[in-house]
Amino acid sequence: MGDTGRVRRPGAPVTGTPAARFTRQEPTPMPRLAVYALVVCALAVAAAVISFAQGSWLGVVWVLLAGLSSNMAWFYLRRAKAQRDARRGAAAAAGPSATPTN
């Protein structure tokens, strides 16, 4: 799954898919806390629907939990994006670009 930091020995066979042979960068992972918050949000929405379908007012609590968890997921996604952009900006400021600027 992308670059593991290992260097291929000269003469060693190239393994993997053709695309994996040329790309050496791992895909950006989704923030784990955001995934957990989205799962909680989906489960809370399902619980709210079931609760209201059974005629219970406990569904209001599930709706509130769904709102809280969706806000948490949004926050963690935005925070991860800001951190990723900050790392890219710091890397760009640290050294010259690999592409020529003509």
Side-chain angles (χ1 to χ4, degrees):
M1 187 177 165
D3 186 12
T4 60
R6 291 185 279 158
V7 177
R8 190 173 67 85
R9 295 185 319 267
V14 177
T15 59
T17 63
R21 292 179 190 165
F22 301 107
T23 58
R24 300 289 295 166
Q25 185 177 9
E26 292 185 20
T28 305
M30 187 171 181
R32 187 171 294 150
L33 289 175
V35 173
Y36 292 155
L38 283 175
V39 169
V40 169
C41 181
L43 291 174
V45 167
V49 168
I50 292 170
S51 185
F52 282 130
Q54 292 178 349
S56 173
W57 283 96
L58 188 62
V60 172
V61 175
W62 291 115
V63 168
L64 293 174
L65 182 63
L68 174 68
S69 60
S70 69
N71 285 342
M72 288 174 61
W74 179 255
F75 169 78
Y76 287 125
L77 285 172
R78 296 295 296 168
R79 185 176 76 169
K81 182 181 178 192
Q83 288 173 346
R84 185 179 65 235
D85 291 345
R87 278 194 305 265
R88 285 182 183 167
S97 175
T99 59
T101 55
N102 290 343

